Amino acid sequence: MKRQIRRLSAGIAAALGVVALASAASAQQKNEVSITRQPGIIYLPTHVIEKQQLIEKHAARLGLPELKTKWITFSGGGAQTDALLSGGVDMVNTGVGNLLLLWDRTKGGVKGIVASSALPLAFVTHDPKIKSLKDFGPGDKIAVPTVKVSTQAILLQMASAKEFGADQWSKLDANTVQLGHPDAVVAMTNPQHEVKSHFAAPPFQYIEMKTVPNARIILQSPDIIGGPLTQGQFFTTTKFAEANPKVIEAVRAASKEAQDFIRSDTKAAVEIYKEITGDKTSSEDLLAWLKEPGMMEWNLEPQGTMKFADHLYKIGTLKTQPKSWKDFYLPIAHDLNGS
């Protein structure tokens, strides 16, 4: 398979070795859990959870009063999944592409807990010659968080299949370069940089639209999927979930409380986001962007994930075709109305 998949496969093999050596330890309930996420307001529920210590709150309610959480930010989902597989972290919050790939490669050893957000992703360019995907030449670079397997990279494949034909899904893969969203914004603001297009996650597309001359959106994730697509979800290894069922339950309860809080007091949630992340964007801008279509999709249920899985199976990235989203989510989520 592609280099990224080979690297993830190697990470899986290493992780299985770690699990084999530490099976006794993994059977014990943990008192501290580490969780990763990426930059951006798409991860707003995790910032609320951290600030209000909601996992700790619900863990205490469930009989784990000593539980602590450690939050770590990574620039892309590939680094997050590597950390999960190597045993460096306990849970991650990132895109559905990474979840599906790990679920498949570990034969069900990694599964989702609950979703946290389904905000729209946007393909932004400031290259004057680019009007649609058909205008990209071999030298035109597109920034994505992780090549091949990030949600943005896979959405680009799905869009290419629609634009150029089903057998041309990988037509623009060679154009993609790996940049975390903040670094991609920096590249986009530099007229001399080779990267003039960025498949962005909120709030970065809005920052680019405001600060980069001639920046415009030519495609969004709902255009490709036909509706909302889960962008952030918690997932973990099934070994961790089986050994720590109360932690998993606390994550679900904390996620629900955080999502409710965002809807009921969006301004306070934005202030938490700015405090935790250090984002200097004005509160007024962030609040205005959250009023844009699709920007309040904070839900526990997975959305649009089976369309994603179907694409990955058709192109051979997934060796196993899930029959339902419940195949790659833990039972804690099975009562939800997912898709």
Side-chain angles (χ1 to χ4, degrees), residues 7-53:
R7 182 166 68 85
L8 286 174
S9 296
I12 291 165
L16 292 176
V18 169
V19 171
L21 290 172
S23 59
S26 69
Q28 298 178 358
Q29 180 77 50
K30 296 194 71 170
N31 290 324
E32 179 177 283
V33 296
S34 52
I35 311 171
T36 72
R37 63 189 167 211
Q38 293 179 56
I41 206 164
I42 205 166
Y43 299 98
L44 180 56
T46 72
H47 304 122
V48 173
I49 290 170
E50 178 182 1
K51 174 66 176 178
Q52 298 183 349
Q53 297 186 313

Side-chain angles (χ1 to χ4, degrees), residues 38-297:
Q38 293 179 56
I41 206 164
I42 205 166
Y43 299 98
L44 180 56
T46 72
H47 304 122
V48 173
I49 290 170
E50 178 182 1
K51 174 66 176 178
Q52 298 183 349
Q53 297 186 313
L54 297 182
I55 292 177
E56 291 90 334
K57 169 187 169 180
H58 289 284
R61 173 178 59 80
L62 294 165
L64 300 176
E66 304 301 321
L67 185 73
K68 304 296 181 186
T69 59
K70 178 182 179 182
W71 294 88
I72 308 166
T73 299
F74 283 78
S75 63
Q80 289 179 271
T81 54
D82 285 349
L84 178 67
L85 292 173
S86 68
V89 300
D90 300 305
M91 285 178 272
V92 302
N93 191 300
T94 188
V96 68
N98 288 288
L99 168 58
L100 286 164
L101 186 62
L102 265 62
W103 167 79
D104 184 57
R105 296 294 180 266
T106 60
K107 301 186 185 302
V110 171
K111 291 188 177 184
I113 303 171
V114 288
S116 53
S117 63
L119 279 59
L121 305 183
F123 192 120
V124 181
T125 187
H126 67 94
D127 189 330
K129 76 174 185 294
I130 302 296
K131 308 298 182 186
S132 73
L133 297 186
K134 292 180 179 179
D135 298 319
F136 280 88
D140 297 320
K141 301 302 182 185
I142 304 165
V144 295
T146 308
V147 297
K148 310 293 186 187
V149 299
S150 65
T151 300
Q152 288 87 345
I154 297 166
L155 282 169
L156 185 59
Q157 292 177 351
M158 297 174 74
S160 295
K162 286 185 176 182
E163 188 74 51
F164 305 111
D167 62 339
Q168 296 294 306
W169 58 269
S170 63
K171 184 176 178 67
L172 296 178
D173 276 6
N175 294 75
T176 60
V177 295
Q178 188 162 308
L179 283 177
H181 292 302
D183 291 335
V185 172
V186 172
M188 291 279 282
T189 59
N190 179 359
Q192 307 307 315
H193 201 284
E194 65 173 356
V195 170
K196 300 186 188 309
S197 301
H198 174 208
F199 213 141
F204 300 104
Q205 67 260 44
Y206 296 108
I207 294 172
E208 289 167 349
M209 293 290 289
K210 183 175 182 178
T211 62
V212 178
N214 200 39
R216 59 203 182 280
I217 293 172
I218 61 172
L219 192 65
Q220 297 194 74
S221 53
D223 303 328
I224 301 167
I225 293 293
L229 172 66
T230 292
Q231 308 297 346
Q233 64 246 290
F234 289 98
F235 56 93
T236 188
T237 64
T238 53
K239 287 185 178 292
F240 178 86
E242 290 164 1
N244 300 273
K246 292 183 179 180
V247 174
I248 299 303
E249 188 175 346
V251 168
R252 171 169 171 158
S255 298
K256 179 65 165 61
E257 184 169 344
Q259 291 167 347
D260 289 345
F261 178 81
I262 293 168
R263 281 187 285 266
S264 66
D265 196 344
T266 308
K267 187 176 188 303
V270 162
E271 295 305 323
I272 288 172
Y273 164 78
K274 286 171 59 67
E275 176 187 345
I276 295 290
T277 66
D279 191 332
K280 302 304 182 184
T281 306
S282 72
S283 298
E284 290 74 19
D285 278 345
L286 291 168
L287 287 167
W289 296 338
L290 287 172
K291 293 179 181 177
E292 292 293 322
M295 285 292 290
M296 288 294 282
E297 287 285 346

